[in-house]
């Protein structure tokens, strides 16, 4: 039997009273669990198997879908509202779609948990999202930093990014391409969340990278953001 700290990323009904869960755990990464009877009226799990609740889960580790035996809420649900809730949902969607199953992502788990608590506070949202994205993509093998020799001499060329090749120079940049100058590459490699211009730069880069990794999939959290902005106008 295995006991793990974890968060629910996604859930859906299974049969009459059960749930299929996708959770993100500290040691096993993303994995699927069956919470049998968790939707029944008398189940102690009914109210806690929700996103953004820090959990302690007990299950039997192995291949395929495993049964959840015990679950304990370590704290109350992290309080997230409006844009902060949409931001947390964005994190969940990235993890749900991009992580391999049963692979350890300890640095990502720590960053995810820290980011949730930061979002629940009063600080600015954007720096927290950008820092999390860079850690996630780096742990997935898509490091932002270009080779050091790229910065030895000034290079007037523009560069773009592809998940198969990394950064590459553009001979003839077009308006439809996402381009980065040598100075912008340096800023990406030495990201400082205190600088607004760098936040926008990292957002643009992470949007380019995530769109390739997601293969054009539209995230529901972004739709919520867009809808919220329209309502506030």
């Amino acid at each position: 039997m295995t006991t793990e700290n974890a968060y629910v990323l996604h859930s859906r009904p299974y049969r009459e009273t059960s749930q299929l869960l996708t959770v993100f755990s500290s040691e096993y990464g993303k994995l699927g669990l069956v919470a049998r009877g968790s939707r029944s009226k008398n189940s102690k799990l009914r109210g806690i198997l929700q996103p953004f609740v820090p959990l302690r889960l007990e299950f039997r580790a192995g291949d395929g879908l495993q049964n959840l035996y015990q679950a304990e809420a370590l704290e109350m649900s992290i309080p997230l509202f409006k844009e902060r809730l949409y931001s947390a949902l964005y994190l969940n969607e990235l993890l749900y779609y991009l992580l391999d199953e049963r692979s350890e992502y300890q640095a990502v788990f720590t960053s995810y948990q820290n980011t949730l608590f930061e979002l629940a506070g009063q600080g600015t949202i954007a720096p927290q999202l950008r820092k999390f994205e860079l850690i996630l993509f780096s742990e997935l093998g898509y490091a932002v930093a270009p080779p050091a020799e790229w910065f030895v001499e000034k290079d007037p060329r523009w560069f773009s990014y592809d998940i198969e090749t990394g950064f590459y120079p553009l001979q003839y940049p077009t308006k439809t391409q996402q381009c980065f100058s040598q100075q912008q590459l340096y800023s990406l490699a030495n990201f400082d969340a205190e600088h607004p211009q760098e936040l926008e730069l990292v957002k643009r880069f992470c949007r380019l990278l995530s769109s390739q990794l997601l293969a054009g999939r539209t995230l529901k959290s972004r739709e919520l953001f867009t809808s919220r902005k329209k309502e506030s106008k």
Side-chain angles (χ1 to χ4, degrees):
M1 202 71 71
T2 299
T3 304
E4 284 275 294
N5 290 345
Y7 289 85
V8 172
L9 297 179
H10 184 267
S11 66
R12 58 189 176 93
Y14 178 62
R15 296 180 177 174
E16 292 186 2
T17 61
S18 302
Q19 287 175 284
L20 294 179
L21 305 175
T22 301
V23 304
F24 183 38
S25 73
S26 56
E27 299 295 331
Y28 283 81
K30 185 180 75 171
L31 69 158
L33 298 173
V34 181
R36 299 189 184 278
S38 60
R39 293 169 54 235
S40 63
K41 292 182 179 181
N42 298 324
S43 174
K44 295 180 180 179
L45 305 180
R46 187 176 177 89
I48 67 171
L49 296 179
Q50 304 291 334
F52 318 127
V53 178
L55 297 170
R56 190 74 172 162
L57 304 181
E58 184 176 311
F59 56 92
R60 191 178 300 280
D63 295 330
L65 205 59
Q66 301 298 312
N67 286 324
L68 174 67
Y69 292 101
Q70 297 287 340
E72 174 190 1
L74 300 178
E75 297 182 37
M76 299 289 288
S77 178
I78 298 172
L80 299 159
F81 306 97
K82 297 180 180 179
E83 287 84 358
R84 295 176 184 274
L85 174 59
Y86 304 155
S87 297
L89 290 172
Y90 169 67
L91 303 186
N92 278 14
E93 287 190 286
L94 288 181
L95 297 176
Y96 181 78
Y97 290 119
L98 299 184
L99 295 186
D100 292 329
E101 291 199 5
R102 298 183 180 276
S103 296
E104 182 180 349
Y105 298 97
Q106 186 62 60
V108 178
F109 184 87
T110 299
S111 178
Y112 172 75
Q113 184 165 250
N114 291 342
T115 303
L116 291 183
F117 283 105
E118 289 288 346
L119 289 173
Q122 300 299 315
T124 307
I125 294 174
Q128 309 309 323
L129 295 183
R130 303 294 83 84
K131 286 187 285 188
F132 173 81
E133 288 170 328
L134 290 179
I135 290 173
L136 171 63
F137 295 142
S138 177
E139 290 298 309
L140 290 175
Y142 303 100
V144 172
E149 58 266 24
W150 284 28
F151 304 119
V152 174
E153 297 179 356
K154 287 187 177 181
D155 193 330
R157 293 179 299 177
W158 290 84
F159 301 82
S160 191
Y161 190 92
D162 182 82
I163 57 175
E164 299 296 334
T165 60
F167 286 104
Y168 62 92
L170 294 169
Q171 286 188 321
Y172 305 103
T174 66
K175 292 182 178 180
T176 59
Q177 288 177 300
Q178 286 286 0
C179 305
F180 304 90
S181 68
Q182 184 189 44
Q183 180 58 47
Q184 289 174 328
L185 295 185
Y186 182 82
S187 296
L188 283 171
N190 299 276
F191 173 56
D192 185 347
E194 299 300 319
H195 293 154
Q197 288 184 336
E198 292 193 11
L199 283 173
E200 285 301 315
L201 173 64
V202 172
K203 179 180 179 179
R204 185 160 65 88
F205 170 75
C206 289
R207 185 65 63 91
L208 170 64
L209 180 50
S210 63
S211 67
Q212 293 182 35
L213 292 172
L214 292 166
R217 182 190 299 273
T218 300
L219 298 180
K220 292 182 179 179
S221 54
R222 286 181 179 161
E223 292 180 342
L224 290 171
F225 264 118
T226 302
S227 176
R228 175 74 178 176
K229 285 182 179 180
K230 289 180 179 179
E231 291 175 0
S232 62
K233 290 182 179 179

